[in-house]
Amino acid sequence: RLPEAFKVSTTAVDLDGGRRMAEEPKIELFIKASDDGESIGNCPFAQRLFMILWLKKVNFTINTIDMKRNPDVLRDIAPGSQLPFLIYNGELKTDNNKIEEFLEEVLSPPKYPKLDVKNKESRTAGDNIFQKFSAYIKNPRLDKNDALEKVFLKALLKLDEYLNTALPGEDSTRPSSRLFLDGNDLTLADCNLLPKL
């Protein structure tokens, strides 16, 4: 349990009007606070976990941690960990990829929607865009700007090509009309990519 002295901001996310509250697992998502010290920060990993919980339609609590004012909070709750992390029914989960896998396993159909992709190629579509964008935007050397911009644009074009390529079951003579990476419903692949765009 988070000591009161370290609790910056807690927000309960009730997605079903309290109808399932008694049967729900107790889930707490701990994320870095924004510059104001209270609202949700801009961490793509935290946003990814938030999206997964939201799409699963499970009730959960968000705890924003102001790392400038209270950096010792992690030592008290999750020694050696970094934000974001999750506590599920009292059990600490710290690795983002393992948290995603864990949530997909324990919050499964028929009670919760399945978010895994149907087409394995969707998992890696656009997976290097954030890296290429970061290299381009953070580049301090003007002589490398053009080359880094081209690499970034190439990654965007590759994603666009994937989005326009028909998935199995779609008419392959036309561009795909799907809304998201793996079809017309958001999946884990979208939860991974969207916060990075």
Side-chain angles (χ1 to χ4, degrees), residues 65-137:
I65 309 298
D66 184 347
M67 295 305 295
K68 292 177 187 168
R69 286 187 236 156
N70 298 320
D72 295 335
V73 70
L74 292 180
R75 184 185 67 223
D76 296 337
I77 297 177
S81 299
Q82 294 184 357
L83 294 170
F85 61 85
L86 183 121
I87 297 178
Y88 184 94
N89 286 339
E91 186 179 340
L92 178 66
K93 304 288 182 184
T94 58
D95 180 278
N96 286 294
N97 291 326
K98 289 182 181 175
I99 292 172
E100 178 181 295
E101 292 168 11
F102 173 79
L103 292 173
E104 186 67 1
E105 181 182 318
V106 298
L107 302 175
S108 57
K111 187 172 182 179
Y112 304 101
K114 180 181 187 283
L115 298 180
D116 201 8
V117 297
K118 294 177 186 129
N119 304 286
K120 66 180 181 166
E121 297 82 12
S122 296
R123 279 193 191 105
T124 57
D127 64 352
N128 65 348
I129 286 179
F130 187 65
Q131 174 193 15
K132 304 300 182 193
F133 174 70
S134 293
Y136 171 62
I137 202 77

Side-chain angles (χ1 to χ4, degrees), residues 162-177:
Y162 180 76
L163 290 169
N164 283 304
T165 301
L167 293 174
E170 288 186 301
D171 181 354
S172 61
T173 63
R174 309 174 83 170
S176 178
S177 62

Side-chain angles (χ1 to χ4, degrees), residues 2 6 8 30-33 37 63-67 70 73 83:
L2 187 60
F6 295 116
V8 175
F30 292 81
I31 62 175
K32 193 183 312 183
N63 295 289
T64 55
I65 309 298
D66 184 347
M67 295 305 295
N70 298 320
V73 70
L83 294 170

